[in-house]
Amino acid sequence: MKGSFIVPGAVILVAALAATVVGQQTKDAIPQSPVDAIHKLVHAGRFEDMVAKTDSLPLDDPAWKNLFDVLVEAAEQQKDYTYLKRKAQEVLLRSRDSEMRALAAFVLGIGDWRSGQLSDAVAAFSEAIRITPGSELASNAEGNIHEIKDLGTGQPTPHFVAQTTGGAKLDLNDLRGKTVLLNFWASW
Amino acid sequence: MVIVGVSIDTDRSAFERAVSKASLPWPQVFDGGDKGPLVRLFNARGVPVSILIDRDGKIAKRIVAETALRTAVTELLGKR
């Protein structure tokens, strides 16, 4: 019988709290997306909270499309790609969306590559190509495989001939005996 | 040392304006954006990246950040 006295009070308290929260939310504008919230945690260096919040997100949530970028950023900051690779593997296994699985494979490749596991990286990038052949992502994955296999320090520079804006022919073979700095840049 | 600039711009006139404005003295190649042949050959899409090639024609270093490029060039000039 005691409960019947307490309950109305509790209901009022909860209602009051809810009213406060709603009031704050309308004042502080739109509620955050999970990606934004996790991004903020990364910026604050709160990696344990980041892991908890990320783990609570279903593996087929569309938010993963943008979340992987945030997890890459976090891994770079921590210089530890273990968590990134684990989540990429989970999404790769569980997501029903093939584009998302391809992205997860690609991200797994990035994680492997940056942690020095080159053959694993090649396998993961190949998986991304296999899942969505012909896509922009697949083309990026092909470029990364080429870089890992053929563009390492000490490897012969792939030969090229190009035309300079001055109209001269530029043949890499003609530059033997000189140190060359090939500087890719853009005006933007 | 020979410097070769490879522009990954898609807009040729924007690239030409930038070259003359900065009066860059080294040769320039206009590669035409993400699908350009040199961009593909060196997997250089999107990011400003530099490839340092040694006298034997081998890849000496892949330099990604601008500060890393400055350090590498200073080192190289100091060595001569």
Side-chain angles (χ1 to χ4, degrees), chain A residues 1 3 13 16-17 21 23-24 28 57 59 62-63 67 72-73 84 102-103 122 124 128 132 147 157 173 175 177 183:
Chain A
M1 275 292 108
L13 184 64
L17 278 172
V21 171
Q24 267 177 2
D28 300 345
L57 203 67
L59 292 167
L67 188 53
V72 169
E73 189 184 328
L84 172 73
L103 178 64
V122 170
T132 51
E147 185 179 331
T157 309
N173 287 343
L175 299 175
N183 174 232

Side-chain angles (χ1 to χ4, degrees), chain A residues 12-174:
Chain A
I12 290 165
L13 184 64
V14 169
L17 278 172
T20 317
V21 171
V22 169
Q24 267 177 2
Q25 257 185 8
T26 41
K27 241 190 283 167
D28 300 345
I30 329 130
Q32 281 184 347
S33 75
V35 177
D36 286 344
I38 292 167
H39 204 177
K40 279 197 178 145
L41 292 173
V42 171
H43 277 191
R46 290 167 56 192
F47 297 113
E48 279 177 27
D49 294 337
M50 172 203 84
V51 166
K53 199 153 175 65
T54 306
D55 281 344
S56 72
L57 203 67
L59 292 167
D60 56 0
D61 195 295
W64 281 101
K65 195 164 193 280
N66 300 311
L67 188 53
F68 276 129
D69 269 348
V70 175
L71 296 191
V72 169
E73 189 184 328
E76 279 169 357
Q77 274 186 40
Q78 295 179 285
K79 296 188 171 51
D80 183 352
Y81 292 85
T82 318
Y83 183 69
L84 172 73
K85 287 192 280 187
R86 177 152 66 80
K87 293 316 280 191
Q89 237 148 5
E90 286 175 12
V91 174
L92 176 60
L93 285 174
R94 302 281 168 71
S95 177
R96 272 162 296 195
D97 175 350
S98 64
E99 263 179 52
M100 198 72 91
R101 283 203 309 278
L103 178 64
F106 187 91
V107 169
L108 181 60
I110 295 286
D112 286 332
W113 193 6
R114 302 230 177 125
S115 41
Q117 292 159 305
L118 300 187
S119 55
D120 288 348
V122 170
F125 287 132
S126 305
E127 180 68 3
I129 298 166
R130 197 190 61 75
I131 299 170
T132 51
S135 66
E136 188 65 24
L137 188 84
S139 161
N140 274 312
E142 278 160 14
N144 289 346
I145 291 173
H146 167 55
E147 185 179 331
I148 292 169
K149 287 188 171 169
D150 310 319
L151 300 176
T153 296
Q155 286 188 281
T157 309
H159 176 251
F160 65 89
V161 180
Q163 195 172 24
T164 69
T165 48
K169 185 180 145 198
L170 186 88
D171 186 331
L172 186 66
N173 287 343
D174 297 340

